[in-house]
Amino acid sequence: MKPGLPLLWRRTKERYNLIGSKCESCGTHYMPGRAVCPKCRRKGKLVEHKFSGKGRIYSYTVVRVAPEGYEYFVPYVLAIINLDEGAKITGQIVDADPDKIEVGQKVEMVFRKIHEDNPEGLITYGFKFKLAD
Amino acid sequence: MSCVGIAGYGVSIPSYRIKAGEIARVWGEEEGRIVKGLGLSEKSVPGLDEDAATLAVDAARRAVSHAGIDPYDIKSMFIGSESHPYAVKPTATIVAEAIGATPNLFAADYEFACKAGTAGVINTYALIKSGEIDYGMGIGADTSQGRPGDALEYSAGAGAAAFLLGRKDVIANIEGIYSYATDTPDFWRREHAIYPSHGGRFTGPPGYFKHVIGGAKGIMEKMGTKPRDYAYAVFHQPNGKFPRTVAKKLGFTAEQIEPGLITPYIGNTYSAATLIGLAAVLDAAKPGDAILVASFGSGAGSDAFHIEASDLIDERRNAYPVRRIIENKRYIDYGTYAKHRRKLVL
Ligand SMILES: [Zn+2]
């Protein structure tokens, strides 16, 4: 399902720069950001946090039948990344041979095109990951 | 007032490559003739999710980390490209947002064929020199296309280079600038056209050679210098042949120009080509080295610079040198290339 323009725009910052939140009470990081820390509840104090973009592959899958808008990319790797700060997020692993992906590999954030509506539509940019050098 | 200089720079080149021989095979051309005629053996190809904006962001982030400044201090952002992702909607705001420089800055896109990148650098220089701002960024970024089977298909590559200018802690000083421009119909692309048109052999003498020589001679006259006063010279490089020929015509040696000749390995990166050459030279330059730079943009014009490496250059080396970026590559065949450049319609 495609989010509407206002939501896309509001999330530009977090999508471009991997900005989530951190609870200053217990030190837990969240991506996407949260308004309330589920561990501390009312005692939690959440602040904006810019992630370093470095992490490791926690789990992955190779997509061979793409959803609409991603047809050109097949086969591609979709992974759950364990960010160094502790939060987990889902992202595409780019410029990689699907046969050579392994759990635990180091990755780093890159800025790429996420989605193009159609030749006349909006281009959505944001973070993806590549294997670290 | 101190001089305006380069506080940091960054380069981004996609990791995909296609060999000239692979393109020649598809069109029944002779590989040897192409490689010899163009002076290049392979070119860079953008990934499916890469465009001028994503390459510019990658280069800009590297330039900020090289300079070691707070991106919020960057008060102008100019991006030159002939492959801006949108016909209407600036690339400069995408990049400024992605490096964390918004909202207090001046942002604009430039278009002047292959010299739009240096046009951005010149305007950044002017804003800083006038005292209006302390830091600004000029970027050249392109993912240009050549018509399938056209000579341009062998050379049209992809890449970006970002130059962060300022006055403090610079690794090189821009001692002088000079520009040269005339109305010359050597190369063009109309709105809504996917591929550019060009004047074939006409592009050489009245386009590239006349303007690069005009720019280079102009800056040397202004600075009172001769070719032998420079450690390096960087010229726009649409292929591997033109810059070598123009260097010879101007009286520069192979030793002065080879370190900044990158097109033979990644193809012509258009707005980024001259700036990537300059970055490669800065990777190697020693304190006090003088560098002559002359870009070229069809239509037509040349921006020339006289740059001198500062004492800081040795201790502030770039973490992503151009020659190392180039080595990170994977080859693709013509079919994959056609998919990457969306020459196949799904
Ligand atoms: Zn908490």
Side-chain angles (χ1 to χ4, degrees):
Chain A
M1 206 185 66
K2 211 170 74 64
L5 209 49
L7 184 63
L8 268 179
W9 175 72
R10 270 204 310 278
R11 293 207 173 143
T12 296
K13 237 181 155 180
E14 77 176 51
R15 224 179 35 246
Y16 280 18
N17 281 309
L18 214 55
I19 289 171
S21 57
K22 175 190 171 184
C23 175
E24 286 192 329
S25 302
C26 68
T28 311
H29 289 81
Y30 299 100
M31 182 70 207
R34 287 173 178 257
V36 176
C37 176
K39 291 184 183 169
C40 308
R41 304 280 173 175
R42 264 181 308 171
K43 287 180 202 146
K45 188 170 180 286
L46 285 161
V47 292
E48 204 177 78
H49 177 79
K50 186 177 172 196
F51 286 85
S52 68
K54 294 187 191 332
R56 286 176 186 273
I57 295 177
Y58 174 77
S59 174
Y60 72 94
T61 182
V62 179
V63 179
R64 296 181 193 277
V65 181
E68 197 183 338
Y70 296 86
E71 295 88 346
Y72 277 101
F73 289 93
V74 290
Y76 65 89
V77 180
L78 202 59
I80 296 174
I81 309 297
N82 206 345
L83 294 170
D84 283 356
E85 292 91 338
K88 284 189 186 69
I89 52 165
T90 304
Q92 190 184 333
I93 309 288
V94 302
D95 303 345
D97 183 344
D99 299 335
K100 294 193 176 133
I101 297 292
E102 285 168 33
V103 167
Q105 278 173 320
K106 277 189 183 175
V107 294
E108 56 191 35
M109 178 187 67
V110 291
F111 184 85
R112 295 290 174 97
K113 277 194 279 192
I114 304 279
H115 190 265
E116 276 173 85
D117 288 352
N118 57 62
E120 291 191 6
L122 194 72
I123 306 167
T124 307
Y125 295 95
F127 65 81
K128 290 186 180 181
F129 292 88
K130 68 166 185 183
L131 296 179
D133 307 330
Chain B
M1 249 198 274
S2 59
C3 194
V4 178
I6 298 161
Y9 59 91
V11 166
S12 180
I13 297 160
S15 59
Y16 301 96
R17 300 281 184 282
I18 185 166
K19 291 191 165 155
E22 173 67 4
I23 301 174
R25 179 182 67 81
V26 172
W27 300 106
E29 289 277 357
E30 239 183 275
E31 178 183 354
R33 198 183 68 84
I34 298 285
V35 171
K36 194 163 171 277
L38 293 172
L40 61 85
S41 51
E42 58 193 57
K43 69 166 189 172
S44 55
V45 180
L48 281 157
D49 53 3
E50 290 181 294
D51 63 15
T54 67
L55 293 169
V57 167
D58 194 29
R61 284 179 174 165
R62 285 174 174 175
V64 171
S65 98
H66 184 210
I69 66 158
D70 182 345
Y72 194 69
D73 291 336
I74 297 169
K75 297 301 173 198
S76 74
M77 172 67 72
F78 295 110
I79 302 189
S81 181
E82 61 126 67
S83 48
H84 286 293
Y86 291 95
V88 177
K89 189 185 179 306
T91 310
T93 51
I94 298 170
V95 180
E97 196 74 57
I99 63 166
T102 54
N104 297 311
L105 87 163
F106 179 77
D109 286 9
Y110 276 115
E111 189 273 310
F112 193 144
C114 295
K115 93 163 185 76
T118 54
V121 174
I122 289 220
N123 281 279
T124 309
Y125 169 88
L127 276 172
I128 298 171
K129 189 157 184 175
S130 73
E132 199 61 46
I133 63 171
D134 292 328
Y135 289 102
M137 191 178 275
I139 303 177
D142 262 308
T143 55
S144 301
Q145 296 249 37
R147 195 182 299 278
D150 186 271
L152 280 179
E153 193 182 19
Y154 294 94
S155 61
F163 278 79
L164 179 46
L165 306 189
R167 287 180 189 280
K168 258 175 55 188
D169 299 336
V170 298
I171 54 150
N173 285 295
I174 299 175
E175 303 281 345
I177 59 171
Y178 177 84
S179 286
Y180 184 93
T182 71
D183 180 7
T184 307
D186 55 337
F187 178 100
W188 61 90
R189 180 166 66 82
R190 293 286 300 273
E191 189 148 36
H192 308 305
I194 299 171
Y195 302 115
S197 303
H198 56 83
R201 287 181 185 278
F202 179 72
T203 56
Y208 181 87
F209 292 102
K210 176 184 166 183
H211 293 82
V212 171
I213 288 170
K217 280 191 169 164
I219 189 76
M220 286 192 280
E221 198 168 301
K222 188 173 170 182
M223 303 303 297
T225 50
K226 298 233 163 349
R228 63 165 183 273
D229 297 323
Y230 294 91
Y232 302 98
V234 181
F235 301 110
H236 176 54
Q237 32 205 284
N239 49 50
K241 217 171 172 180
F242 279 20
R244 289 183 173 116
T245 307
V246 85
K248 208 171 276 174
K249 280 180 194 279
L250 283 161
F252 287 92
T253 63
E255 290 70 41
Q256 286 169 301
I257 69 150
E258 292 298 326
L261 256 187
I262 303 301
T263 290
Y265 315 103
I266 60 170
N268 179 11
T269 51
Y270 286 64
S271 301
T274 306
L275 296 176
I276 290 176
L278 172 59
V281 159
L282 289 170
D283 286 340
K286 295 268 168 288
D289 279 352
I291 304 160
L292 179 138
V293 179
S295 66
F296 171 68
S298 292
S302 173
D303 297 324
F305 302 82
H306 176 113
I307 294 169
E308 280 181 31
S310 80
D311 291 340
L312 282 179
I313 197 161
D314 265 335
E315 56 192 82
R316 300 260 320 276
R317 291 291 172 195
N318 199 295
Y320 298 92
V322 175
R323 305 237 166 217
R324 214 186 75 207
I325 297 173
I326 291 173
E327 285 315 311
N328 174 28
K329 61 181 173 181
R330 46 202 313 235
Y331 290 104
I332 55 175
D333 58 18
Y334 195 90
T336 309
Y337 161 73
K339 180 175 147 186
H340 274 229
R341 298 321 319 260
R342 312 265 171 129
K343 292 174 200 284
L344 295 175
V345 179
L346 290 181

